[in-house]
């Protein structure tokens, strides 16, 4: 394997990358070529793998033992000998009996203890001075009959699992077949032929050569005569069950294997190309050569991965994490970014990070100001009957036992002040809603600081304290605003109707019409008829100042109904037990049917926020919430009066109160959001811009604040490990591409010669001379590739088919079958047209070159 030392370094690097991606859960996969071990039950797969490691570490028993794929990564280590599992990261297993137990426990954890199977692999890495770098996948043995609680289609499941692995072009297939069974009926070779009909990726392994019947041997198979494979067959002798039960040392077993091949008359001439050491060496070479074939695609994947990691590791590359200047810089940048992030959430942003699913930040505060708060103001309006009763009581109490000729001013002022005091509750609620949303914003902008949990906790603590102080100041100012409104009742306001107009105004107020303008459009669920109608159907609703219409969809071409809004009120309904929607209803104050034969028009939204928004829209259309009804008494009110003058005075005061409260409500809807914006939101912006840095630096130790969380430290170390490993792998690939060569994979052979394989020919002079010529030519070739210069003659392009040896004349008639020193007409074949096996120790079969690109002259 000279010339391939660079390839040896690539296997552990890419193995580490695969483990890193799996542990991080990333979607990018670097497909390192692997060797999948395929065979029937008890074919000797596990023994072959144990011979590679030199330890007993795989579960054994009757029936199906390997029930989950085992990805076995063998890595050469000069001194240490231990194993590691990916699912038990950081734990080293020096006792290989514990490795076997861990495999059994991990298998039972997913599949149960009664022979169930799973396609989720177990990753095992073994470091040892006795192994060559290899990546193998031990797959469950092919079985026919289910046992235990295995499903009836266990054969199909195992077959599909095996095909999932060996169907990939980057997977070499190690087809294991026992020598004491018919090769033509080999399940492993049958599956391999399905996915690799050309045999480019299949390596045959013949086990149990020592158990063949006396007088029989597998020489035809091992010499690639029977069912030939391009990569050939390698024979091994595993330990018997008696040896395993007797805990026979694997090193002794391998020495016995070596002695068996040297002593056997059918195998002694090819003994150097048989046995576990030769198999391990061949697999290592085949895997490294296969990696070289996939280097372009592997390089592209690694480069893409490196680009995607650049952004994530940019903050880690330039400074060591323990560098105090690094901590100071990160702390300062983090605090400076808070101001910009807060402004983006409150003032809005046109970046691609804007949420497309729900309102948040400034948009939600805007809805509170313009929809939720006006709705709360309307909800506090007293019941009409109760308000008139209160005005009547005030007028009568002012006059006492005396009668009156004029409407008292004090009744108007007292009633108005009672109504103004009620504004405090919705104003305070508006502040609470804004504070809640600001806390959400603070939590959102500090999510980027999850890597520094103490810093995030300190920032949120300081922001919370600041918000509480500003909340108190704001509520005090709201109270002052209400007191200001109470301090002076301005009856000279330009919008106030005055006593003269109030006395002339009709007792029943008519709704002000402003034209049929569209207020809102959107989908609502329709439950017309309440519980009498099953289910809900969404329609496209259009609300105007006069009507509510709904259509089949937003195209507004198929109108279902149009409902006038005159005399309608709105009320809340309780949700059903299993309903996720939030209902409300429209109804008529005079008890008439609203929609067809139903007195209620039930509507619903997906969220409470949508319900509040629609209610605010209905308010703009003049549809007000239902008032709480006080209990009615059958007896006439003791304070009821039949005095027509008193009734007119009550009506006059009622109109005056209504006119003045419209002015106050209009001012309140305008002023409360401004007060909240100035005293809380803008102040918090200034806090993040100017004060947070000073408070952080003065409140606690910066080194303590910049301590990373355990998760972040692990993630950083993992990212840097992947990043550095990716760079190292790319560098190794570049070095390999420039400095190494590899063996070519044998090309197609004319397999028609083997349809009726002839009997083994007797040795001949031509045969021996051919062997000698082949061995002499092999000495001039590299261990990893054919030297192209061997074929160069007269500066012509090297041909792909076998060229004549030196001192040989080529004629036009001999182009297709060049002669070699007068020997057999087909080079690399003997007289029976069977490929010759190289006799040099450790020499692999040479490649059969391709057809020449130009004709010989």
């Amino acid at each position: 394997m000279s010339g391939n030392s660079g390839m040896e370094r690539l296997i552990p690097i890419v193995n580490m990358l695969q483990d890193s991606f799996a542990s991080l859960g990333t979607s990018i996969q670097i497909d390192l070529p692997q060797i999948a071990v395929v065979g029937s039950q008890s074919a000797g797969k596990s023994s072959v793998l144990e011979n590679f490691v030199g330890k007993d570490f795989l579960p054994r028993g009757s029936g199906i033992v390997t029930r989950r794929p085992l990805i076995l990564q063998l890595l050469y280590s000069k001194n240490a000998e231990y194993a590691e599992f990916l699912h038990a990261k950081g734990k080293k297993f020096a006792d290989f009996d514990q490795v076997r137990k861990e495999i059994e426990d991990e298998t039972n954890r997913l599949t149960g203890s009664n022979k169930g199977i799973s396609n989720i692999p177990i990753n095992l890495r073994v470091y040892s001075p006795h192994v060559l770098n290899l990546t193998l996948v031990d797959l469950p043995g092919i079985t026919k009959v289910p046992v235990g609680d295995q499903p009836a289609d266990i054969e199909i499941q195992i077959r599909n699992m095996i095909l999932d692995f060996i169907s990939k072009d980057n997977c070499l297939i190690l087809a294991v077949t026992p020598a004491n069974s018919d090769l033509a009926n080999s399940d492993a070779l049958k599956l391999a032929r399905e996915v690799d009909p050309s045999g480019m990726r299949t390596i045959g392994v013949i086990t149990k050569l020592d158990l063949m019947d006396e007088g029989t041997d597998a020489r035809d198979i091992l010499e690639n005569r029977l069912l030939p494979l391009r990569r050939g067959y390698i024979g091994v002798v595993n330990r018997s069950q008696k040896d395993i039960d007797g805990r026979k040392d694997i090193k002794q077993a391998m020495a016995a294997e070596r002695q068996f091949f040297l002593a056997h008359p059918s195998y002694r001439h090819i003994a150097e190309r048989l046995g576990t050491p030769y198999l391990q060496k061949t697999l290592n070479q085949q895997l490294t050569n296969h990696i070289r074939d996939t280097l372009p695609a592997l390089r592209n994947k690694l480069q893409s991965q490196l680009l995607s990691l650049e952004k994530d590791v940019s903050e880690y590359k330039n400074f060591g994490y323990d560098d105090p200047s690094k901590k100071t810089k990160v702390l300062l940048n983090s605090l400076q970014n808070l101001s910009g992030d807060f402004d983006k959430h409150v003032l809005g942003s046109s970046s691609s990070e804007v949420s497309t699913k729900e309102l948040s930040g400034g948009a939600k505060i805007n809805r509170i100001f313009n929809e939720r708060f006006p709705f709360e103001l309307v909800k506090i309006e007293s019941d009409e009957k109760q308000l008139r009763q209160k005005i009547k009581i005030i007028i009568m109490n002012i006059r006492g036992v005396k009668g009156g000729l004029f409407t008292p001013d004090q009744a108007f002022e007292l009633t108005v002040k009672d109504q103004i005091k009620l504004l405090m509750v919705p104003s305070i609620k508006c502040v609470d809603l804004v504070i809640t949303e600001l806390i959400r914003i603070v939590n959102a902008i500090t999510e980027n600081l999850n890597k520094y949990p103490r810093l995030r906790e300190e920032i949120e603590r300081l922001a919370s304290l600041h918000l509480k102080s500003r909340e108190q100041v704001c509520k005090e100012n709201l109270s002052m605003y209400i007191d200001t409104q109470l301090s002076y009742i301005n009856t000279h306001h330009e919008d106030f109707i005055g006593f003269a107009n109030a006395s002339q105004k009709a007792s029943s107020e008519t709704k002000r019409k402003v034209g049929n303008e569209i207020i809102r459009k959107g989908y609502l669920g329709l439950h017309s008829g309440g519980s009498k109608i099953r289910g809900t159907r969404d329609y496209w609703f259009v609300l105007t100042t006069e009507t509510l219409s709904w259509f089949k969809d937003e195209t507004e071409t198929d109108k279902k109904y149009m409902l006038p809004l005159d005399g309608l009120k709105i009320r809340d309904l309780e949700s059903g037990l299993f309903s996720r929607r939030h209902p409300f209803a429209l109804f008529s104050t005079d008890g008439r049917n609203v929609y067809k034969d139903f007195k209620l028009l039930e509507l619903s939204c997906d969220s409470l926020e949508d319900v509040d928004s629609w209610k605010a829209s209905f308010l703009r259309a003049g549809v007000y919430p239902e008032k709480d009804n006080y209990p009615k008494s059958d007896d006439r009110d003791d304070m009821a009066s039949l005095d027509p003058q008193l009734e007119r005075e009550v009506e006059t005061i009622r109109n005056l109160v209504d006119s003045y409260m419209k002015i106050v409500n209009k001012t309140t809807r305008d002023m409360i959001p401004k007060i909240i914006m100035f005293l809380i939101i803008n102040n918090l912006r200034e806090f993040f811009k100017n004060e947070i840095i000073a408070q952080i630096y003065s409140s606690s130790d910066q080194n303590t604040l910049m301590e990373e969380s355990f998760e972040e430290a692990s993630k950083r170390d993992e990212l840097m490990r992947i990043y550095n490993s990716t760079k190292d792998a790319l560098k190794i690939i570049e070095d390999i591409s420039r400095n190494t060569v590899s063996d070519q994979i044998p090309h197609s052979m004319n397999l028609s010669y083997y349809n009726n394989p002839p009997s083994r020919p007797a040795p001949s002079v031509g045969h021996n001379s051919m062997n000698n010529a082949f061995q002499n030519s092999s000495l001039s070739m590299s261990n990893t590739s054919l030297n192209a210069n061997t074929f160069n003659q007269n500066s012509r392009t090297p041909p792909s088919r076998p060229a004549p040896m030196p001192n040989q004349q080529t004629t036009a008639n001999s182009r297709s079958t060049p002669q070699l020193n007068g020997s057999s007409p087909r080079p690399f074949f003997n007289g029976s047209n069977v490929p010759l096996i190289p006799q040099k120790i450790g020499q692999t079969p040479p490649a059969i070159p391709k057809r020449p690109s130009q004709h010989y002259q």
Side-chain angles (χ1 to χ4, degrees), residues 64 66-69 111 115-120 139-144 146 149-165 191:
I64 179 171
T66 304
R67 295 183 285 129
R68 287 177 61 183
T111 62
K115 306 302 182 182
I117 67 169
S118 170
N119 61 354
I120 300 176
L139 296 171
I142 303 169
T143 184
K144 303 292 184 181
D149 61 354
Q150 292 177 348
D153 62 342
I154 184 67
E155 179 184 3
I156 298 176
Q157 289 189 24
I158 294 178
R159 173 187 171 87
N160 292 338
M161 183 191 304
I162 294 174
L163 290 176
D164 284 342
F165 279 87
L191 284 176

Side-chain angles (χ1 to χ4, degrees), residues 17 39 61 90 121 156 182 319 327 370 463 479 535 544 591 637 675 734 790-791 853:
L17 283 172
I156 298 176
D182 188 357
F319 300 94
K327 291 185 177 182
N370 296 293
S479 178
T544 68
D637 197 329
I675 293 173
E734 296 298 331
T790 304
F791 299 106
S853 58

Side-chain angles (χ1 to χ4, degrees), residues 27 119 254 302 355 363 412 416 471 478 656 730 766:
S27 58
N119 61 354
M254 294 178 68
L302 288 173
S355 174
F412 164 71
V416 165
E471 178 184 3
L478 292 182
L656 290 172
L730 282 171

Side-chain angles (χ1 to χ4, degrees), residues 48 205-210 234-238 257 261 275-276 279:
V48 171
V205 175
I206 307 300
T207 62
K208 303 184 180 182
L209 290 169
D210 55 332
I234 299 175
V236 296
V237 174
N238 297 327
E257 175 192 52
F261 287 126
T276 299
L279 173 61

Side-chain angles (χ1 to χ4, degrees), residues 257-269:
E257 175 192 52
R258 172 72 174 167
Q259 186 61 34
F260 171 82
F261 287 126
L262 290 175
H264 200 288
S266 299
Y267 307 137
R268 64 179 59 158
H269 68 292

Side-chain angles (χ1 to χ4, degrees), residues 125 413 848:
R125 180 176 292 178
E413 288 193 9
I848 299 178

Side-chain angles (χ1 to χ4, degrees), residues 355-561:
S355 174
T356 59
K357 297 181 180 179
E358 62 179 359
L359 291 179
S360 61
K364 201 165 186 179
I365 293 175
N366 179 67
R367 171 172 282 187
I368 293 172
F369 286 160
N370 296 293
E371 294 183 2
R372 186 68 180 271
F373 179 57
F375 178 70
E376 295 295 331
L377 289 178
V378 175
K379 283 174 61 176
I380 67 169
E381 291 183 359
S382 300
D383 183 80
E384 184 69 21
K385 179 181 177 182
Q386 290 298 117
L387 180 58
R388 290 178 180 274
Q389 189 69 24
K390 182 185 295 185
I391 295 172
K392 186 183 298 185
I393 294 172
I394 293 174
I395 293 175
M396 294 175 68
N397 284 336
I398 289 174
R399 289 176 175 170
V401 296
K402 300 181 296 182
L405 299 176
F406 304 101
T407 304
D409 295 351
Q410 296 89 338
F412 164 71
E413 288 193 9
L414 290 174
T415 305
V416 165
K417 288 182 178 180
D418 286 344
Q419 294 296 105
I420 292 175
K421 291 176 182 178
L422 296 177
L423 298 178
M424 190 65 184
V425 174
S427 300
I428 296 297
K429 186 172 183 179
C430 184
V431 173
D432 293 338
L433 291 173
V434 171
I435 291 293
T436 301
E437 186 57 32
L438 288 175
I439 292 175
R440 289 199 189 101
I441 294 175
V442 171
N443 292 336
I445 65 176
T446 56
E447 281 185 358
N448 295 331
L449 301 177
N450 280 335
K451 61 181 71 175
Y452 310 114
R454 295 189 178 182
L455 176 61
R456 178 180 182 180
E457 182 181 348
E458 183 66 13
I459 291 174
E460 291 179 351
R461 184 185 69 84
L462 293 175
S464 178
L465 290 175
H466 185 78
L467 274 176
K468 286 182 179 179
S469 65
R470 301 312 302 174
E471 178 184 3
Q472 185 64 30
V473 172
C474 184
K475 289 181 178 179
E476 290 174 357
N477 278 268
L478 292 182
S479 178
M480 184 181 298
Y481 167 76
I482 299 299
D483 292 340
T484 303
Q485 290 287 356
L486 293 172
S487 65
Y488 178 64
I489 306 300
N490 183 15
T491 57
H492 296 286
H493 194 281
E494 59 183 4
D495 294 332
F496 187 59
I497 62 173
F499 276 86
N501 293 330
S503 61
Q504 296 176 4
K505 190 175 181 182
S507 58
S508 60
E509 180 186 3
T510 57
K511 186 170 67 172
R512 183 185 174 204
K513 300 295 183 180
V514 294
N516 195 22
E517 298 177 358
I518 295 177
I519 297 176
R520 179 168 184 158
K521 295 181 179 182
Y523 278 103
L524 285 173
L526 179 62
H527 311 246
S528 57
S531 59
K532 296 179 181 178
I533 302 297
R534 295 183 179 179
T536 304
R537 184 170 181 180
D538 287 341
Y539 289 99
W540 179 260
F541 281 77
V542 178
L543 176 63
T544 68
T545 54
E546 296 181 355
T547 62
L548 176 66
S549 304
W550 56 92
F551 303 82
K552 181 179 180 181
D553 51 42
E554 61 267 24
T555 60
E556 301 182 14
T557 56
D558 184 7
K559 180 182 285 189
K560 298 299 182 181
Y561 200 80

